[in-house]
Amino acid sequence: MDHAIWAEGLVKRYGENTALAGVDLAVPTGSVLGLLGPNGAGKTTVVRILATLLEADQGQARVGGYDVREQGHQARQLIGLTGQYAAVDENLTGTENLLLLGRLLGLSRAAAKVRARELLEQFGLTDAASRAAKTFSGGMRRRLDLAASLVGRPPMLFLDEPTTGLDPRARAELWTLIRSLVSEGVTVLLTTQYLDEADELADTITVIDHGRVIAAGTPEELKAKTGAQTLAVRPLHERDKSAVVALLAELAGEEPDTSGRLVSVSVLDPALMPQAVRRLEEAEITVTELALRNSSLNEVFMALTGRPAEPDDEGSGEP
Amino acid sequence: MTAIAVQPHVGLATGLRQTLTLAWRTVVQVRHNPWELSDFSIQPIMFVLLFTYVFGGAIAGSVSDYLTFMLPGMIVMNMLFVTMYVGQGLNTDLTKGVFDRLRSLPIARWAPLAGRIVADQVKQAWSIVLVLGVGFILGFRIGTNVLALLAAVALLLVFALAFSWVSVLVGVMAKDPERVQIFGFTALFPVTFVSNVFVPVDTMPGWLQAVVKANPVSILSDACRGLMIGGPVATPLWQSLLWAAGIAAVFAPISLWAFKRRA
Ligand SMILES: Nc1ncnc2c1ncn2[C@@H]1O[C@H](COP(=O)(O)OP(=O)(O)OP(=O)(O)O)[C@@H](O)[C@H]1O
Ligand SMILES: [Mg+2]
């Protein structure tokens, strides 16, 4: 298959600390890969290597068929990068930020202006076009940052945690923007800490932890492996807890987790929810909480690794 | 996906154009950051006024004599302070991630740094003209000719170019832009004050005279005095150029090395 972005055996060490311990990934042209992992998993390191900002100690990576180590300049002509922290020039206005990039990418003054106006409109920043970026809100800054990576209409886009720190509305807006880019045929590699984000946007998901790929596949395959949703029940009385545990174990076919009086189990079939309600009613168990929610990344981790997703200690070695 | 015509490398002309675009950016920034403008505009004016009127009478006997003695050195001191903007801007780009964005673009690898340095030369020229202008209003007169004055400006710009490498190093090493500023003050103040910028060297104790005479700030100030108001030029001129070459030869490789490591 035609892979827009491809990497094999990427290794990166910082002294004693192994940031990447052999990462493989492949993104077919025109699709979205979600790179999912907790803090310190190595997501940013992967993105920086693919964007030619960092050299891997071992392994190979190709972007649009160009080796990022040997043919960095060619690779850079195909990519747009939105880093983890908005990289806009705070002392320039929205327009000036985009003009700068347009001119650097070889557009004429007039063409750069047109492109800047276009992007500001597309990203809802027209009103802020002539304000210095340091006066922007976090969401506006993020949008400007994304717009900045699109000035040259790159066919490949790297987005490092594009929605971290945004409120739900800004997050939904950004998702819409990303979807519209994908519909235009852009290949996207997106990192995230949120399963729902990967689920919403990605065609395939690669889960990494401590610099290793621990799972890869379509969102459906992954969910099938880990349980798509979590059913959580909190009985009013402590004495009912064991009955609830037994009940959920029977329904879900696996042993539930308990934390205090909260009993939770991952389920594949949302139809289990009404069954659970009925069975609880029959057993005359009063509950204070009954919820079916999407699994958090932490639960996916539990399912994949049998341990919670704990962030690495900053800069320390493997725990 | 539209096919993009991929180029194997950046031509020199394209790289220079990118450098100018990046320099434009640094100059435009000043518009949205008025305190920076005040830093390299109001501050030098204030220094000229303060030194001329507060110390002038005591040091040289008369205000206009002191102005004539002090102004060329003042321009040297100011030039050194202004070079710190290279490091400060660089550090801001590094810490804010702007540098990563620039490095992910298909532009000449040297353009971002070169852009900073070109922009610095523009700021340098501006503040030299400014201090000269204020001096002129207060009564400073060129004792030589226009050609010699232009030579002094050229010498100052060459020295600034060399000293920019020190600033680049500070910018790359510092944790945040404020620390670049702090370094500028704590390191450059003593260096410029233990010189003959403000006070003639023969009023100082002997042991200090030796230090002051060896200080490149003194040597460069002497060269500028010679070129602006008259007096010996040749020796301080070639010594200044030698210092500039030495500083560039030592700091350019170190700075580039540190820069590549951090970026
Ligand atoms: N410059 C560096 N020096 C030393 N260690 C580093 C450096 N950069 C990253 N690391 C380490 O490499 C590992 C992976 O870091 P990376 O930033 O890629 O993680 P991440 O998945 O992006 O995390 P986050 O979600 O917090 O952004 C971490 O253990 C981190 O401490
Ligand atoms: Mg990261």
Side-chain angles (χ1 to χ4, degrees), chain A residues 14-15 17-20 37-46 84-85 160-161 191 193 208 312-316:
Chain A
Y14 290 104
N17 189 8
T18 304
L20 298 181
N39 286 132
K43 304 181 294 295
T44 299
T45 308
V46 169
Q84 184 164 0
Y85 306 100
D160 196 358
E161 300 197 26
T191 79
Q193 302 194 28
I208 62 170
D312 248 1
D313 296 342
E314 285 292 315
S316 73

Side-chain angles (χ1 to χ4, degrees), chain A residues 95-129:
Chain A
T95 305
E96 285 162 353
N97 263 292
L98 300 179
L99 270 182
L100 169 71
L101 292 161
R103 297 288 285 154
L104 286 175
L105 292 170
L107 298 183
S108 71
R109 206 179 300 262
K113 268 195 188 134
V114 170
R115 184 71 183 134
R117 204 173 313 130
E118 226 170 67
L119 283 166
L120 289 168
E121 199 177 302
Q122 189 185 348
F123 285 77
L125 290 167
T126 308
D127 294 340

Side-chain angles (χ1 to χ4, degrees), chain B residues 239-260:
Chain B
Q239 284 182 345
S240 299
L241 289 171
L242 204 65
W243 266 102
I247 290 170
V250 171
F251 282 94
I254 299 178
S255 303
L256 284 175
W257 172 80
F259 186 63
K260 280 192 187 129

Side-chain angles (χ1 to χ4, degrees), chain A residues 207-218:
Chain A
V207 186
I208 62 170
D209 182 33
H210 292 304
R212 266 176 223 289
V213 175
I214 55 171
T218 65

Side-chain angles (χ1 to χ4, degrees), chain B residues 33-106:
Chain B
N33 210 5
W35 66 259
E36 191 183 323
L37 184 67
S38 94
D39 257 17
F40 63 82
S41 303
I42 295 175
Q43 194 172 295
I45 296 176
M46 203 180 66
F47 269 120
V48 174
L49 291 173
L50 276 178
F51 274 91
T52 307
Y53 291 110
V54 178
F55 299 115
I59 296 174
S62 94
V63 166
S64 74
D65 284 356
Y66 186 60
L67 189 64
T68 305
F69 168 79
M70 175 272 292
L71 202 77
M74 179 68 86
I75 294 174
V76 171
M77 174 176 103
N78 203 39
M79 177 272 289
L80 292 177
F81 280 121
V82 172
T83 53
M84 283 299 127
Y85 288 105
V86 175
Q88 215 184 341
L90 204 60
N91 190 274
T92 309
D93 281 355
L94 285 167
T95 48
K96 296 268 181 208
V98 175
F99 221 84
D100 276 355
R101 155 136 305 135
L102 294 179
R103 289 203 314 133
S104 77
L105 298 176

Side-chain angles (χ1 to χ4, degrees), chain A residues 29 48 51-54 66 73-74 76-79 81-83 85-93 96 99-101 103-106 132 134 145 148-149 152-156 185, chain B residues 1-2 4-10 17-19 21-22 24-25 28-36 92-93 96-109 116 262-263:
Chain A
T29 304
R48 287 176 60 84
T52 77
L53 299 179
L54 192 69
Y66 294 105
H73 184 66
Q74 283 93 327
R76 283 190 283 276
Q77 289 166 67
L78 302 175
I79 62 169
L81 169 67
T82 302
Y85 306 100
V88 296
D89 188 325
E90 311 235 301
N91 291 318
L92 294 183
T93 65
E96 285 162 353
L99 270 182
L100 169 71
L101 292 161
R103 297 288 285 154
L104 286 175
L105 292 170
K134 62 183 162 199
D145 194 36
S149 62
R153 301 181 197 274
M156 285 160 220
Chain B
M1 179 170 123
T2 47
I4 288 191
V6 173
Q7 309 294 323
H9 60 263
V10 191
R17 200 177 46 71
Q18 290 158 353
T19 301
T21 301
L22 286 159
W24 162 84
R25 163 224 177 189
V28 167
Q29 277 183 335
V30 174
R31 268 223 305 265
H32 307 288
N33 210 5
W35 66 259
E36 191 183 323
T92 309
D93 281 355
K96 296 268 181 208
V98 175
F99 221 84
D100 276 355
R101 155 136 305 135
L102 294 179
R103 289 203 314 133
S104 77
L105 298 176
I107 60 174
R109 303 308 264 167
R116 283 263 162 226
R262 168 145 181 193

